[in-house]
Amino acid sequence: MKKRKLKQASLIFMMVAIIAVLSGCSHQAMVFDPKGPVGVELRDLIVITTVLCAIILVPVLILTAWIVWRYRDKKGNKASYEPNWSHSTKLETIWWAIPIIIIGAIGIITVKYTYATDPAKPLKSDKEPITVQVTSLDWKWLFTYPKQGIATVNYLQIPEDTPIKFELTSDAPMNSFWIPQLGGQIYTMSGMAMTLYLQADEIGHYFGTGANFSGEHFADMTFDVNATSREDFDAFIATTKKVPTKLTKEGYDELALPGKSGVRYFSSIPDGLFEQIVTKYTKGQSVHSGHAASHSNETDKKETSMNQSGMNHGDMDHSQMHGAK
Ligand SMILES: [Cu+2]
């Protein structure tokens, strides 16, 4: 009897532990509290696929426990005992048909959402997108605003309700740019410029981070995303344009050295800095620009300024570039 009580107690303990683990930390919950159109679509996809999977998983898990209990070897067990039973057309139909239908549905829905949330696809909006170039460094994020001519480190300010066109690369080991409440992560890789459109629907502070382990100070590669009104954004640009620190080529080289950094502001940036960062790894080859776009979206490809070195995307050796994933 004592043994049985111990078993029951450990079972309850395990269930509590599972619930605690599944409920997770606050960072995971952010994905379920999206604040932008991309985040909303991704949250919907997660919820839909989870519910569809649960249609199979929950009954299977309940039945497994019930069958083990019901047909256990116990004196006086009244459950039917049929050692020669082998086939039931009715049961076979049920447990093949339901999973086939569900997997078909998950497939169709996932393909639809995958195309709808193509990172390089411009977002529907009557507002002109704002371009922000993102460079992952050891161990900090550099944001350059090419049109506004300013730069920040570990701080990103954007206007609300406006599409932001991120162009992303790395001047350090590969990393991954992620603002969970706005959308999914995208890799930053040296010698490539990726494109990612995101938008914040509400004014607020959002958590941004690196989502790909990159070494010693990986944990410090977080940044605040401050979505403000258009007026406050314009004011931020004007204020930053007045800070004494300019980002020079030499200043950038220093910034790119391994080490962590706090928030920094620069009132100007060297011409074509982002393009130089991307092309320095390509040794005369064409830049693999707007990665996701380059395979599907010709107009987006032409828009990207770095794709002017004369070579076609198709001429490149893709196997090496994609091997890193
Ligand atoms: Cu490619």
Side-chain angles (χ1 to χ4, degrees):
M1 272 299 126
K2 236 184 176 178
K3 232 180 183 176
R4 193 168 170 171
K5 270 199 179 141
L6 199 76
K7 260 189 202 166
Q8 277 176 343
S10 62
L11 207 77
I12 290 164
F13 173 77
M14 261 167 66
M15 278 167 87
V16 171
I18 286 169
I19 290 164
V21 168
L22 288 182
S23 61
C25 65
S26 57
H27 290 186
Q28 283 167 318
M30 281 181 196
V31 172
F32 293 102
D33 182 25
K35 298 290 185 205
V38 181
V40 167
E41 294 216 56
L42 293 176
R43 192 260 332 258
D44 290 348
L45 179 61
I46 293 170
V47 171
I48 292 168
T49 46
T50 306
V51 168
L52 286 174
C53 290
I55 291 174
I56 298 176
L57 257 175
V58 172
V60 164
L61 290 176
I62 291 171
L63 276 174
T64 306
W66 182 76
I67 286 167
V68 166
W69 186 83
R70 177 89 175 87
Y71 297 96
R72 70 198 190 283
D73 186 12
K74 186 198 169 201
K75 257 186 196 150
N77 193 341
K78 287 185 186 111
S80 61
Y81 176 63
E82 295 176 53
N84 296 319
W85 182 89
S86 70
H87 182 80
S88 161
T89 308
K90 198 168 109 195
L91 286 176
E92 294 278 350
T93 311
I94 292 170
W95 65 52
W96 280 100
I98 295 174
I100 286 171
I101 292 166
I102 286 174
I103 285 170
I106 290 177
I108 292 164
I109 291 164
T110 306
V111 167
K112 263 182 85 174
Y113 274 90
T114 304
Y115 280 96
T117 56
D118 178 345
K121 205 174 91 176
L123 298 173
K124 282 193 191 96
S125 173
D126 48 3
K127 289 177 188 147
E128 184 84 354
I130 288 184
T131 300
V132 178
Q133 296 160 327
V134 181
T135 307
S136 62
L137 298 168
D138 264 345
W139 289 276
K140 58 202 85 86
W141 292 96
L142 172 66
F143 301 105
T144 46
Y145 296 68
K147 205 174 162 202
Q148 291 77 8
I150 61 144
T152 57
V153 171
N154 290 346
Y155 175 76
L156 178 65
Q157 187 157 339
I158 55 172
E160 58 144 356
D161 204 31
T162 308
I164 311 297
K165 182 188 185 188
F166 291 103
E167 294 175 352
L168 309 103
T169 194
S170 180
D171 199 1
M174 179 176 163
N175 214 305
S176 172
F177 174 82
W178 193 27
I179 307 167
Q181 285 186 285
L182 301 189
Q185 62 84 28
I186 192 163
Y187 289 120
T188 58
M189 292 173 269
S190 52
M192 290 182 163
M194 312 287 271
T195 306
L196 171 70
Y197 279 89
L198 292 178
Q199 178 178 308
D201 286 340
E202 285 174 32
I203 289 173
H205 288 270
Y206 306 114
F207 173 75
T209 187
N212 192 79
F213 183 66
S214 61
E216 194 182 353
H217 292 294
F218 162 72
D220 296 302
M221 286 192 72
T222 58
F223 54 95
D224 177 34
V225 182
N226 187 10
T228 60
S229 66
R230 184 70 208 210
E231 295 72 48
D232 286 352
F233 176 75
D234 292 339
F236 156 74
I237 298 292
T239 315
T240 309
K241 276 196 164 300
K242 282 185 209 133
V243 301
T245 335
K246 293 178 193 301
L247 185 63
T248 57
K249 191 75 206 19
E250 294 70 38
Y252 170 77
D253 290 340
E254 212 167 289
L255 187 71
L257 294 173
K260 51 183 179 175
S261 170
V263 172
R264 297 181 68 180
Y265 305 91
F266 300 98
S267 53
S268 76
I269 48 176
D271 263 350
L273 174 70
F274 185 77
E275 288 75 6
Q276 285 164 31
I277 296 168
V278 177
T279 47
K280 76 185 209 189
Y281 292 97
T282 57
K283 293 188 183 123
Q285 276 186 311
S286 130
V287 170
H288 198 113
S289 86
H291 187 263
S294 59
H295 293 279
S296 59
N297 194 331
E298 283 298 314
T299 44
D300 203 76
K301 192 171 143 188
K302 278 174 200 146
E303 274 170 22
T304 314
S305 53
M306 287 154 307
N307 214 311
Q308 292 165 350
S309 44
M311 263 176 88
N312 280 328
H313 173 261
D315 294 341
M316 300 184 59
D317 179 5
H318 266 69
S319 55
Q320 283 183 343
M321 300 249 158
H322 293 255
K325 291 171 205 167

